DNA sequence: TTGCTCCTCACGTCACGTGAGGTGGC
DNA sequence: TTGCTCCTCACGTCACGTGAGGTGGC
């Protein structure tokens, strides 16, 4: 029939091209974020190849913190803007907010990247450790040139016992629970 | 008894200090990731102040892609390692894998950061756009010195119509909804 | 005909959020 | 006594995952 049909993608092809699951694509459709151009006689969804880019776009908005229904609302609100200029103002504000959050996330991720690099470097020096030690000694290791208290936290967490009682304190009464320092309204 | 108690944190205090919800902390406990040192007579959970760092550690592992039960298993497997040296080998392998994934995520986030910066810069030039245009023209804007085809994708996605048929093709119309039912027998 | 792809329910999962109804502790 | 914090269920939510039972299309 139509020469054009060959250009359209079935849901599985689209899923592979976009790196998403078929289920995810069904969900985007259900939420009104992505619509097949048509259906085959058998009911198969047929997508415009541009849907690949559409999914990449959805993905980026998800990464910067939109939920799927927020994306839907975002589109809807833009479309219903009284004028183009007016609508762009709102969009810009949202993007500026997301940019700030994205940069915070980046900073956090970079810290963790460093933590991983440190932990890996530390663990490399464990290759030559004697075989006999139990893992319980790792949190306060002083073998292989390690110094107690310098175990990278990412690794130390594996053997930390938070359940244990506070060590080495016989503590003065009252200091902490005077109820004053709750400043945080996140 | 009494002196030490003052140093312990109730769940709300811990939540605020760690930037998590009380519910999340309950969940970590349920999964065996975090245990209060004791309970008050009234049944209130009392936590070691070290629990704040513990939660920060859990958080970092979540960020690099561990689910909570994977964290539990990770700890368990480490603790049951036959020897410290042996256990560190497995941990190092996992961390190396997570480092690679973290760097991919970082790269992706940096791309999106750029996308946002571009989109914001573009939208700034819309401030002086005439008020009369409808939002439907934004996707192919040629005002304000904009050139068609250079609209940043993050913004263009808001007005893209993937639902439309592939353009520039004359599709031979076989009518779509010819009253066929799509195979549901239930 | 075979094998792969797709269809529509519909329940499961993960990391919490959000009350409901009741109690602790200063 | 008041007000805040906490307790334990238990159901809700979000973005899918995962079959179950049936059909399309080369």
């Amino acid at each position: 029939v139509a020469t054009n049909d060959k250009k359209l993608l079935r849901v599985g092809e689209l899923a592979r091209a976009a790196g998403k699951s078929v289920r995810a694509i069904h969900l985007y459709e259900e939420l009104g974020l992505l619509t097949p151009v048509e259906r085959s006689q058998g009911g198969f969804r047929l997508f415009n190849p541009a849907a690949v880019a559409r999914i990449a776009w959805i993905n980026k908005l998800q990464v910067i913190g939109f939920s799927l229904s927020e994306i839907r609302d975002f589109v809807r609100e833009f479309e219903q803007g009284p004028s183009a200029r007016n609508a762009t103002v709102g969009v810009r504000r949202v993007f500026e907010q997301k940019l700030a959050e994205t940069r915070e996330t980046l900073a956090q991720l970079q810290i963790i990247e460093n933590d991983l690099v440190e932990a890996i470097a530390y663990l490399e020096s464990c290759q030559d450790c004697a075989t006999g030690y139990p893992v319980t000694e790792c949190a306060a290791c002083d073998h292989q040139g390690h110094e107690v208290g310098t175990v990278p936290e990412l690794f130390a967490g594996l053997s930390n016992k938070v359940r244990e009682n506070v060590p080495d304190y016989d503590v003065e009464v009252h200091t902490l629970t005077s109820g004053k320092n709750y400043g945080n309204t996140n």
Side-chain angles (χ1 to χ4, degrees), chain A residues 5 14 17 40-42 45 52 60 77 102 111-112 133 137 150 155 157 183:
Chain A
D5 286 359
L14 175 58
S40 73
Q41 303 98 309
R45 274 166 263 252
V52 178
K60 286 185 178 187
E77 207 196 308
T102 299
I111 290 173
I112 298 179
Y133 298 112
E137 296 196 12
T150 63
F155 176 55

Side-chain angles (χ1 to χ4, degrees), chain A residues 82-140:
Chain A
S83 78
R85 192 181 75 181
N86 208 296
T88 60
V89 176
V91 174
R92 185 154 61 96
R93 256 201 309 264
V94 172
F95 281 176
E96 277 165 353
Q97 175 65 29
K98 293 298 183 184
L99 178 57
E101 291 167 18
T102 299
R103 286 180 167 155
E104 276 179 45
T105 307
L106 270 167
Q108 193 202 5
L109 256 186
Q110 275 152 358
I111 290 173
I112 298 179
E113 185 198 6
N114 266 331
D115 288 345
L116 279 167
V117 170
E118 271 178 41
I120 290 167
Y122 181 93
L123 288 168
E124 268 164 10
S125 65
C126 299
Q127 283 181 72
D128 307 317
C129 185
T131 351
Y133 298 112
V135 293
T136 45
E137 296 196 12
C138 288

Side-chain angles (χ1 to χ4, degrees), chain A residues 140-154:
Chain A
C141 181
D142 59 353
H143 320 128
Q144 301 307 117
H146 296 158
E147 284 175 45
V148 180
T150 63
V151 182
E153 49 151 329
L154 227 44

Side-chain angles (χ1 to χ4, degrees), chain A residues 31-33 54 57 61 66 68-95 98:
Chain A
L31 287 167
L33 291 174
R54 177 69 173 184
W57 179 76
L61 291 197
F66 282 90
L68 292 179
S69 42
E70 282 172 343
I71 297 175
R72 175 173 34 66
D73 297 346
F74 190 39
V75 174
R76 199 165 288 172
E77 207 196 308
F78 175 77
E79 284 174 347
Q80 290 168 0
S83 78
R85 192 181 75 181
N86 208 296
T88 60
V89 176
V91 174
R92 185 154 61 96
R93 256 201 309 264
V94 172
F95 281 176
K98 293 298 183 184

